[in-house]
Amino acid sequence: MEETTWEQKLQALTHTLINPTNTPESLYSQFFISTQLPCYLNWDYHPPIFCPKSPNTFPSLHLRWGFSLFLKRVSRFGVPQTSWRSKCPFQQPPPLILAKGVEEAQWGEEQKREYVRKRMRRKRLGSDVHPLIPILLPNIFLFSLLLWNPFPQYDS
């Protein structure tokens, strides 16, 4: 990425933001991005078809890319990749793949009210640690240092 100019990075970013998609990119889009940015093996935006070929390396770039893609899919056990958008059923446009446990959005007034009530009834995000523990533990540790000297050789 260091050998690209800021203008090339900006053009690639603008193209990516203007044309978002989860489907395979068009040939024009892949070619445009590959001319603007260098090739990365673990980058999911496009396959390394247009990357400059180096005949001396084994395994080849295409073989390494295919193997890394295979390992990514095997590690997910075939489940489609979801993002934070997949957990938001009321977002416009709706997500292409809903996350596991999220039902499709119902747009009636009563369904929206029930959805909000259900979200409000959820347990708050956080830990179940008693609030005195984060206060007491450091204080007990510091008090133990008053009673016990861990470095007696430095005692003067």
Side-chain angles (χ1 to χ4, degrees):
M1 195 65 109
E2 290 77 26
E3 62 269 4
T4 59
T5 64
W6 278 104
E7 187 169 336
Q8 289 174 319
K9 292 177 187 178
L10 185 63
Q11 287 176 353
L13 179 64
T14 305
H15 176 77
T16 306
L17 291 176
I18 291 175
N19 304 314
T21 180
N22 283 354
T23 59
E25 289 296 319
S26 67
L27 192 60
Y28 163 75
S29 184
Q30 289 182 28
F31 182 70
F32 177 75
I33 292 296
S34 67
T35 58
Q36 299 299 315
L37 298 176
C39 296
Y40 293 103
L41 187 61
N42 58 357
W43 196 23
D44 292 331
Y45 189 73
H46 66 78
I49 294 171
F50 299 111
C51 291
K53 295 183 171 93
S54 151
N56 302 346
T57 59
F58 180 81
S60 69
L61 182 65
H62 301 300
L63 186 62
R64 286 187 291 158
W65 176 77
F67 188 67
S68 69
L69 190 66
F70 171 75
L71 288 179
K72 284 180 200 171
R73 290 184 181 175
V74 166
S75 67
R76 288 193 315 255
F77 300 111
V79 177
Q81 186 175 6
T82 58
S83 68
W84 63 270
R85 287 196 74 234
S86 304
K87 298 179 177 91
C88 307
F90 287 99
Q91 185 157 353
Q92 286 297 325
L96 297 175
I97 301 171
L98 280 175
K100 186 177 178 183
V102 178
E103 59 266 359
E104 195 171 338
Q106 304 294 322
W107 288 100
E109 289 300 318
E110 188 58 38
Q111 287 94 352
K112 284 195 241 180
R113 278 192 206 101
E114 184 59 35
Y115 179 77
V116 170
R117 286 186 193 121
K118 186 171 80 172
R119 293 287 304 258
M120 298 301 277
R121 281 193 303 254
R122 278 190 198 165
K123 189 178 115 179
R124 297 213 35 118
L125 190 65
S127 62
D128 293 331
V129 177
H130 193 276
L132 285 178
I133 291 177
I135 296 170
L136 286 179
L137 279 180
N139 286 327
I140 290 172
F141 175 71
L142 289 173
F143 183 70
S144 71
L145 290 177
L146 285 173
L147 301 176
W148 172 69
N149 185 4
F151 305 109
Q153 67 270 23
Y154 297 120
D155 206 12
S156 51

